[in-house]
Amino acid sequence: MKIVLASSNRNKYREMKEAFGPIGVELIYGGDTDVSIEVDETGDSYEENALLKARAWSEALGMAALADDSGLEVHALGGAPGVHSARAVPGSDADRTMWLLSQMEGAEDRRARFVSCIAVVFPDKEPPLVYRGICSGTIASNPRGSGGFGYDPIFIPDGYNATFAELGNQIKTKISHRAMAIKGIAEMLIPVLQYYAVRTMEKSRFVQGQ
Ligand code: ITT
């Protein structure tokens, strides 16, 4: 089954593209399709925004769509930037990273967590699937490393002494919030894929029998 990734964030696609092969899903990068979709992320939660994105892409392309809505929640900042992580301040990922470090100046409590919520929407009446993944860690005092994207240079996952940007994609795709969300959503997808496979088989039997 083909599912489109409802995103033009190529970094997310890089972290997700291999993950669904083992359950028989080919994930297509939204940026490689001939539609360009801008979704207003007006939801108050990751779940709402992931569903908004997945619905918009599924309707536009008439196929199943999978969206990730994610963010960084910093304990000392009351959970900010959270659902607003991509737009916390205007500018580049590096600008937002430096802004976050400035907000954290002098803070002893460096606890933080990344959250990823993945939603899958189908083109028929099948109910959507939603799953949330979390990765806990701490905020570094300076940006370190060149891998990943977003706040990766300042996030040190628990159990490691290096940032996501230093650890690189091979480790990140095993332990990150997105990896956890992918694992959960893949388990939810398996029975749905089986249902579609049986339905397709029955349809083709019906056509042959006519
Ligand atoms: P799409 O909506 O097109 O998928 P986006 O980048 O706008 O792409 P989000 O609205 O979900 O995605 O915003 C998530 C932001 O949270 C992202 O831009 C980063 O700033 C941050 N973020 C999420 N996951 C991250 C990760 O794995 N590493 C670093 N930063 C991350």
Side-chain angles (χ1 to χ4, degrees):
M1 185 179 187
K2 288 187 178 179
I3 301 185
V4 66
L5 175 65
S7 174
S8 309
N9 181 333
R10 194 173 277 281
N11 292 299
K12 285 188 183 176
Y13 181 63
R14 266 193 213 112
E15 292 182 15
M16 300 174 98
K17 63 181 175 185
E18 311 286 350
F20 293 96
I23 61 161
V25 168
E26 184 190 343
L27 194 68
I28 297 165
Y29 176 46
D32 285 341
T33 65
D34 49 15
V35 299
S36 162
I37 298 174
E38 282 298 320
V39 182
D40 275 340
E41 299 184 27
T42 50
D44 294 326
S45 66
Y46 305 103
E47 280 79 4
E48 278 176 70
N49 284 336
L51 281 166
L52 280 175
K53 291 188 262 191
R55 276 205 190 100
W57 283 77
S58 176
E59 275 166 22
L61 290 166
M63 64 187 291
L66 180 152
D68 160 286
D69 198 65
S70 40
L72 178 64
E73 299 183 346
V74 178
H75 200 255
L77 303 179
V83 78
H84 306 293
S85 293
R87 302 163 293 279
V89 285
S92 63
D93 280 353
D95 294 329
R96 280 180 284 278
T97 298
M98 293 319 287
W99 163 81
L100 188 61
L101 284 179
S102 72
Q103 300 294 300
M104 297 282 293
E105 226 168 79
E108 272 179 29
D109 181 357
R110 314 290 297 183
R111 285 175 295 165
R113 63 180 199 170
F114 265 129
V115 179
S116 157
C117 179
I118 294 184
V120 184
V121 167
F122 302 93
D124 52 20
K125 297 259 179 298
E126 192 63 23
L129 307 177
V130 182
Y131 196 91
R132 178 185 270 238
I134 290 173
C135 179
S136 297
T138 49
I139 301 295
S141 43
N142 293 300
R144 293 182 347 225
S146 56
F149 70 104
Y151 301 94
D152 280 345
I154 55 168
F155 183 80
I156 302 171
D158 284 347
Y160 293 81
N161 289 317
T163 65
F164 264 161
E166 289 175 305
L167 291 168
N169 256 9
Q170 228 180 335
I171 293 178
K172 189 184 173 194
T173 51
K174 287 197 175 69
I175 65 166
S176 76
H177 49 310
R178 192 160 294 109
M180 299 303 130
I182 289 170
K183 199 163 170 277
I185 208 85
E187 276 169 24
M188 294 172 88
L189 263 171
I190 290 168
V192 182
L193 296 171
Q194 283 165 348
Y195 161 77
Y196 277 117
V198 169
R199 221 177 57 169
T200 309
M201 223 161 58
E202 278 169 359
K203 261 193 203 155
S204 79
R205 273 210 206 111
F206 178 75
V207 171
Q208 279 168 9
Q210 270 184 337

